[in-house]
Amino acid sequence: MFFKLTDEQLMIQTLAREFSRKVLLLTAAERDKTGEFPAENLKKMGELGFMGMTVPFEYGGSGSDTVSYTLALAEMAYSCASTAVVMSVHNSIVCESICRLGTEDQKEKFLRPLANGDIIGAFAMTEPHAGSDPVRQSTTAVRSGDSYILNGTKRFITSGKNAGLIIVTAITDEVKRHNGISAFIVEKGAAGLIVGDVEEKMGLRASDTTDLIFNDCRVPADHLLGEEGEGFKIAMKALDSGRIGIAAQSLGVAQAALDAAVKYAKNREQFGQPISKFQGLRWMIADMATEVEAARQLMLSAAAMKDRGEKYTAQASMAKLFASEMVNRVTATALQMHGGYGFIKDYPVERFYRDARVFTIYEGTSEIQRVVISNQILRDKHRL
């Protein structure tokens, strides 16, 4: 590994790896079949500090840096990508947003149960007609006394059914466009909050994805996150962090696929010898390993920039873009190396292949990442 890790970062990575292999791996395939949400495993992760990694100690968190968090997240994704995506949204978007912009009362009330894993956090911005273009969202929030009344529909919400807390974006001033979007903390069971059906997905099947319908949903005014009109900025900042999380998820699944392919190649014999002896397959393994390592370095570089307080928007998008496309190539190659066995559910590469497909889509498609990266480069006055 070219990126020098501290002893503490290595310790956190080792702890995450042991938990991932000894606990998450045992039920990952079965949960993929049943779609059962990993509630008990997430609770165990909370007890170990993995559900509040970047939450400060004073609010019950682990106070870890971003590098440690991404290392832990990649280890979780290695065994169960469904669990990892829940952990990622919960930490990268929900906990971080409340840490950054929440009032003292909001931090005291929400961060501790989030960090403990007592409740799961979700983020609701995408709508049926507003995905990559959040300014087109139509969910509204109208002030009414000491409350806001929310109306609208959010789509493809990770943990929508199982979340105890949701950060929701809504329009408070349509005239101001992106400066008229605000963010709200909505608790599970709020009157007027309706959870839609759980989507039947290709992959990440143990992570529920639902619509959330707000029908005159009354939210206390003190649940406004930040100031009115800051919702768009809150979302964009959260997505920068979340994209490093997608890179970590991609890395974990890709490493699992590579390891499975190497193991299979060493044990599968054809023409009187292990297929790992054939040059064509050895080159495939070399290319896979190189891509995995490149993604690891991009992820760690973006995470380290965030830890240093540097602007990391472009680097987060680069890490997400490369890693998410990399994992699709690596899982496809690993499946190909398994031959017909890769196409059946007896081997985990079939699940890896399905889980990986969404990584180039959620939290900004590959195309959107290229827009973000090119915009950042063209705006950089220090470039020649």
Side-chain angles (χ1 to χ4, degrees):
M1 180 178 289
F2 306 116
F3 194 97
K4 180 67 173 176
L5 299 176
T6 66
D7 290 342
E8 182 178 353
Q9 289 164 347
L10 288 169
M11 180 188 69
I12 291 171
Q13 183 184 42
T14 299
L15 177 62
R17 181 173 297 166
E18 289 179 354
F19 177 83
S20 171
R21 307 298 198 276
K22 293 178 180 179
V23 179
L24 298 188
L25 190 60
L26 299 181
T27 58
E30 183 62 25
R31 290 182 189 278
D32 176 65
K33 293 178 184 178
T34 65
E36 181 185 358
F37 187 74
E40 65 274 22
N41 286 342
L42 290 165
K43 180 58 180 171
K44 292 175 183 177
M45 289 164 62
E47 292 168 358
L48 291 171
F50 292 121
M51 299 305 285
M53 291 197 69
T54 56
V55 174
F57 291 112
E58 58 264 35
Y59 300 112
S62 303
S64 302
D65 60 15
T66 311
V67 169
S68 297
Y69 163 62
T70 56
L71 292 170
L73 182 57
E75 293 297 338
M76 302 305 178
Y78 183 99
S79 296
C80 182
S82 293
T83 303
V85 68
V86 176
M87 174 183 170
S88 182
V89 172
H90 179 96
N91 275 282
S92 299
I93 298 182
V94 177
C95 289
E96 284 203 23
S97 294
I98 296 174
C99 281
R100 191 170 64 252
L101 286 166
T103 64
E104 191 60 32
D105 286 345
Q106 289 171 347
K107 291 177 182 179
E108 287 288 349
K109 181 176 181 180
F110 299 121
L111 285 180
R112 199 171 301 278
L114 285 167
N116 291 340
D118 293 333
I119 60 173
I120 300 300
F123 176 65
M125 179 175 71
T126 299
E127 297 187 2
H129 302 290
S132 297
D133 183 8
V135 176
R136 289 192 62 199
Q137 65 185 285
S138 58
T139 298
T140 59
V142 178
R143 184 69 184 257
S144 175
D146 59 356
S147 301
Y148 286 87
I149 308 299
L150 272 61
N151 281 284
T153 298
K154 298 296 183 177
R155 179 145 294 170
F156 302 141
I157 307 307
T158 298
S159 305
K161 178 181 178 181
N162 289 282
L165 178 154
I166 309 145
I167 294 179
V168 182
T169 60
I171 296 171
T172 47
D173 189 337
E174 191 171 356
V175 175
K176 294 182 179 179
R177 291 178 55 78
H178 65 276
N179 288 322
I181 298 172
S182 303
F184 301 87
I185 299 172
V186 181
E187 297 181 77
K188 182 177 183 178
L193 170 60
I194 302 166
V195 178
D197 293 336
V198 176
E199 300 287 355
E200 281 287 338
K201 299 178 297 186
M202 173 191 290
L204 302 181
R205 291 177 48 79
S207 161
D208 63 291
T209 301
T210 71
D211 278 4
L212 293 177
I213 301 101
F214 299 89
N215 185 10
D216 288 336
C217 179
R218 186 174 291 273
V219 179
D222 61 7
H223 281 35
L224 174 70
L225 184 60
E227 301 293 332
E228 271 200 20
E230 289 189 330
F232 183 80
K233 290 191 292 185
I234 290 170
M236 293 303 102
K237 189 73 173 177
L239 287 174
D240 281 348
S241 181
R243 285 163 182 165
I244 301 177
I246 304 299
Q249 294 170 57
S250 300
L251 175 64
V253 174
Q255 186 67 62
L258 172 59
D259 290 352
V262 170
K263 180 180 178 181
Y264 183 82
K266 287 182 176 180
N267 291 294
R268 174 68 169 171
E269 290 194 2
Q270 290 287 277
F271 306 103
Q273 60 181 335
I275 62 173
S276 60
K277 297 291 185 181
F278 296 111
Q279 179 173 297
L281 268 69
R282 295 173 76 92
W283 284 12
M284 291 163 72
I285 290 171
D287 287 344
M288 293 162 71
T290 300
E291 288 207 75
V292 169
E293 187 58 37
R296 191 189 325 275
Q297 298 305 317
L298 279 169
M299 177 196 77
L300 291 171
S301 176
M305 289 181 71
K306 181 172 182 282
D307 285 335
R308 293 194 298 265
E310 300 172 12
K311 184 175 176 60
Y312 65 97
T313 296
Q315 285 71 23
S317 284
M318 288 177 183
K320 196 271 188 186
L321 171 64
F322 183 82
S324 64
E325 296 199 341
M326 173 278 298
V327 70
N328 277 276
R329 291 190 294 268
V330 167
T331 53
T333 302
L335 191 152
Q336 185 73 17
M337 288 177 63
H338 279 69
Y341 290 110
F343 199 64
I344 61 176
K345 293 183 180 294
D346 290 347
Y347 287 79
V349 290
E350 184 270 346
R351 170 165 53 91
F352 300 154
Y353 183 77
R354 288 185 289 105
D355 284 345
R357 187 60 191 88
V358 76
F359 293 158
T360 60
I361 298 173
Y362 63 11
E363 293 196 32
T365 63
S366 289
E367 292 72 29
I368 289 297
Q369 302 313 312
R370 290 182 170 95
V371 170
V372 172
I373 295 164
S374 60
N375 284 346
Q376 292 294 316
I377 291 172
L378 292 170
R379 289 172 186 164
D380 189 347
K381 297 179 182 179
H382 300 290
R383 289 182 180 269
L384 295 178

